Amino acid sequence: MADPTAAGDTGAVTPRLRQARVALLVSYLVQGAVFALLVTRIPAIQKQYGISDGLLPVFLAAVPVLAGVGSISMEWVVKRTSPRAVLRVVQPLVCLTLLGVGAGDRLWEAGAALGAFGLMVGGLDASEAMSAVSLQHRYGRSIVQGFYAVFSLGGIIGAILAWAGAHWHLSQLALFGTTAVVAIPIVLVAGIWYAGPAELGRAVEEAAAAAARSIPWKPLLPLCLAMCVAYIADSTVSNWSAKYMQDLMHTSSQMYSVPYAAYMVVALLGRMLGDGRVQRWGGVRTVKLGAIVCALGFALVALAPEEWTAVLAFAVVGLGVSVVVPQVFAAGGRLFPGDADAAVARLNIFNYVGFLVGSPLVGAIAGGSGYRVAMLVPMVLVLAVLTVTRAFGADAPQPAAVDTVAV
């Protein structure tokens, strides 16, 4: 009888594989919480370090650039070690950089801490994605959707922590330090159960080989555009919603994290219900509606007369964005059914492009013309998705088995 953990046998899901999946879900949960806590405290970080409004977009743009460098570098390291080994080291360091951000008060310290965060989170993103894809190979079915849903849940937790810190007037060091002290043991314990060669067999090599295969760029370009503008929308909310509440709505510090929390709650619900919508309406119609709803949300943000209307508007943005990104990956998988991992790897590059373009662009316009004008930029850009919806396949309901790649 064949060994159920042997390479290529994707039908046997052992208890050990289930443990590894739960451990990776914990990793995504902590990552979402740490990221959300950091971005929803941007106004407090700016005040702590004396970062001017003109300089803030530079700091925010540097993080995704360094994340891209970290991601590429860690791919080289993974080839010589394993995703599990990298993940066990990098995630505690990400939590430690959070402590570093809370501890300083000089501009160079902010640059060093945020730079380290960018490098480490890029490596974390790469090693988590490789682990998730490898587990999916072993499971023989799509399970990646759950990891990103849990990331959204972590984002909600992080936004709640940021609210609590503002409500009880905790110092940045106390809030970030306490979070790091709690998070580091959690990820160290989870790291014990990450899948390794014994559980994955040749799944890591198979996933890497698939990602390395040469596929043409041209059919993917419309999907790359959709991915890019979706992450421009996402980066606008994650990096600027707190500043929007501070500078335009003049709210209390407790309100800074509320728009991002609302955005993530609705995005989580959208991801949980998205498969049903695709099966009823088809991928093209779902993406069209998602883009229109997202644009409507930004229009409401631009026109919001008071803080709770703005919170509702950011939630509408989350509802729209939540369906676009999964369908980009699913469409890439359908275009290249034999090389789905290669398509996903290429499309994933454009989430960094979206962050790199969106954050400084919106910040620069907000500094020159105000936040209401700045929010019209992602509104217009996300409508570009409507011009490339043919790339998402036939405008008809899709059976559940069609999409084998999801995020």
Side-chain angles (χ1 to χ4, degrees), residues 23 39 216 281 288:
V39 298
W281 302 336
K288 284 181 179 178

Side-chain angles (χ1 to χ4, degrees), residues 35-111:
F35 180 78
L37 178 59
L38 186 71
V39 298
T40 54
R41 295 289 290 180
I42 285 174
I45 294 170
Q46 184 182 16
K47 182 179 179 181
Q48 173 185 348
Y49 288 99
I51 302 171
S52 68
D53 286 342
L55 196 56
L56 183 61
V58 177
F59 277 83
L60 296 180
V63 171
V65 170
L66 290 170
V69 172
S71 180
I72 294 169
S73 301
M74 287 305 164
E75 288 181 16
W76 180 84
V77 175
V78 163
K79 289 178 181 178
R80 286 151 182 80
T81 55
S82 70
R84 176 174 65 178
V86 172
L87 191 51
R88 283 173 171 172
V89 173
V90 170
Q91 187 153 36
L93 290 177
V94 169
C95 299
L96 201 59
T97 61
L98 185 67
L99 176 60
V101 173
D105 59 7
R106 301 176 185 176
L107 204 58
W108 71 265
E109 292 174 324

Side-chain angles (χ1 to χ4, degrees), residues 10-321:
T10 58
V13 179
T14 65
R16 179 66 189 88
L17 279 176
R18 294 190 184 96
Q19 287 177 337
R21 182 183 181 185
V22 171
L24 193 60
L25 287 169
V26 171
S27 174
Y28 272 91
L29 182 74
V30 173
Q31 183 197 10
V34 168
F35 180 78
L37 178 59
L38 186 71
V39 298
T40 54
R41 295 289 290 180
I42 285 174
I45 294 170
Q46 184 182 16
K47 182 179 179 181
Q48 173 185 348
Y49 288 99
I51 302 171
S52 68
D53 286 342
L55 196 56
L56 183 61
V58 177
F59 277 83
L60 296 180
V63 171
V65 170
L66 290 170
V69 172
S71 180
I72 294 169
S73 301
M74 287 305 164
E75 288 181 16
W76 180 84
V77 175
V78 163
K79 289 178 181 178
R80 286 151 182 80
T81 55
S82 70
R84 176 174 65 178
V86 172
L87 191 51
R88 283 173 171 172
V89 173
V90 170
Q91 187 153 36
L93 290 177
V94 169
C95 299
L96 201 59
T97 61
L98 185 67
L99 176 60
V101 173
D105 59 7
R106 301 176 185 176
L107 204 58
W108 71 265
E109 292 174 324
L114 291 172
F117 177 83
L119 282 170
M120 292 300 106
V121 86
L124 174 61
D125 189 31
S127 55
E128 279 183 330
M130 291 176 192
S131 298
V133 170
S134 298
L135 277 173
Q136 180 165 280
H137 272 247
R138 290 293 288 118
Y139 265 71
R141 59 184 173 85
S142 178
I143 61 170
V144 180
Q145 176 83 26
F147 296 118
Y148 285 83
V150 167
F151 178 87
S152 297
L153 179 60
I156 296 166
I157 294 170
I160 292 171
L161 290 174
W163 175 88
H167 181 73
W168 281 291
H169 305 289
L170 298 179
S171 70
Q172 204 82 311
L173 180 58
L175 179 59
F176 285 4
T178 302
T179 302
V181 166
V182 172
I184 289 173
I186 291 174
V187 297
L188 287 174
V189 172
I192 298 171
W193 304 106
Y194 294 149
E199 297 80 32
L200 297 176
R202 290 199 303 271
V204 176
E205 291 79 3
E206 290 168 1
R213 282 197 285 267
S214 178
I215 59 174
W217 271 101
K218 188 174 180 180
L220 288 175
L221 290 179
L223 299 176
C224 293
L225 172 64
M227 176 69 84
C228 182
V229 297
Y231 273 98
I232 288 174
D234 183 82
S235 68
T236 298
V237 180
S238 62
N239 286 332
W240 295 108
S241 60
K243 287 289 291 177
Y244 170 97
M245 298 300 280
Q246 178 191 42
D247 296 345
L248 182 62
M249 294 295 165
H250 306 292
T251 65
S252 68
S253 58
Q254 296 176 41
M255 286 295 296
Y256 295 168
S257 63
V258 175
Y260 188 75
Y263 171 83
M264 293 302 280
V265 167
V266 175
L268 174 60
L269 292 174
R271 284 172 171 169
M272 291 172 64
L273 301 175
D275 289 338
R277 281 181 285 178
V278 172
Q279 290 169 36
R280 287 196 303 272
W281 302 336
V284 171
R285 193 173 303 170
T286 300
V287 170
K288 284 181 179 178
L289 288 173
I292 291 169
V293 169
C294 182
L296 175 62
F298 277 116
L300 293 174
V301 172
L303 297 172
E306 49 82 39
E307 58 191 38
W308 286 107
T309 307
V311 170
L312 177 63
F314 280 114
V316 173
V317 173
L319 179 63
V321 168

Side-chain angles (χ1 to χ4, degrees), residues 222 225-226 228-230 232-233 287-299 321 324 375-389 392:
L225 172 64
C228 182
V229 297
I232 288 174
V287 170
K288 284 181 179 178
L289 288 173
I292 291 169
V293 169
C294 182
L296 175 62
F298 277 116
V321 168
V324 175
M375 293 299 161
L376 297 177
V377 174
M379 181 198 78
V380 172
L381 290 177
V382 79
L383 289 175
V385 173
L386 298 178
T387 67
V388 297
T389 52
F392 290 88

